[in-house]
Amino acid sequence: RALDQCLAARGHARPPSRSPLAFAREVAARGEPFGALTLRVAERYMEARFGGVPLGGDELTRLRAELHDAPRAPAA
């Protein structure tokens, strides 16, 4: 959810029909300044959700902080 909130706040709302990983790949491919972070968070989510690689509290806190601090789109 934090990833979706971060992306939406930066003008990139993920369509419900698109997986977090597929959307993160699209964002990264567009060359967005937070694209690499988006992809890293989505990949880590998939590992935790479906790969049995637990996401520890410290790691979760760090990822949330990185998302919070990710560059925002310039104000119009």
Side-chain angles (χ1 to χ4, degrees):
R1 285 181 268 170
L3 178 58
D4 282 338
Q5 291 169 351
C6 170
L7 291 171
R10 287 151 181 81
H12 302 278
R14 180 177 63 87
S17 62
R18 195 137 333 115
S19 75
L21 184 55
F23 192 62
R25 286 178 178 148
E26 291 174 22
V27 170
R30 286 191 292 241
E32 297 294 342
F34 48 85
L37 172 62
T38 300
L39 187 55
R40 186 165 46 88
V41 171
E43 288 173 342
R44 190 61 190 93
Y45 164 75
M46 297 300 285
E47 289 174 343
R49 178 80 167 100
F50 302 108
V53 181
L55 185 61
D58 289 343
E59 183 181 12
L60 184 57
T61 298
R62 182 180 45 78
L63 289 173
R64 283 185 175 150
E66 288 182 53
L67 287 170
H68 180 268
D69 294 340
R72 293 189 179 272

